Amino acid sequence: MAPSIPVLPLLDVHRAVLQLRLRGSWRSFHVADPAALAAALANAVAPPRWEEASSTLTVRVPEAGNSAGGARIFSLSEFSRTLPNATLVG
């Protein structure tokens, strides 16, 4: 299993879209609860980490009695990178 990697996410709360630059290209993901992710990122105690195999973003936030912080895990759904090939006639 590949290790998780630290990332700098770009989050659009209004559209519920998170973007990550992975291996030199931008990828877009749907976030089910963008407000919760925004709150976690605002309070993060360490860089968020991307786990490719499970399509999850882990954000560590302050937690009493845990110096490393508690993990908040967000499952992401990647948008298709296939561009439409429809043409307009008329």
Side-chain angles (χ1 to χ4, degrees), residues 9-90:
L10 299 175
L11 176 62
D12 182 335
V13 176
H14 301 289
R15 294 184 325 147
V17 174
L18 179 95
Q19 292 187 316
L20 299 173
R21 187 158 176 88
L22 302 168
R23 286 189 226 109
S25 65
W26 286 100
R27 292 170 55 188
S28 297
F29 300 87
H30 171 74
V31 180
D33 191 352
L37 179 53
L41 290 171
N43 293 306
V45 296
R49 299 191 67 89
W50 168 248
E51 176 63 50
E52 180 97 34
S54 60
S55 290
T56 57
L57 185 71
T58 302
V59 182
R60 297 192 92 55
V61 296
E63 184 176 81
N66 185 355
S67 62
R72 300 293 183 264
I73 300 171
F74 297 90
S75 182
L76 306 175
S77 300
E78 187 167 12
F79 288 108
S80 173
R81 289 187 262 172
T82 305
L83 297 174
N85 59 1
T87 56
L88 296 175
V89 179

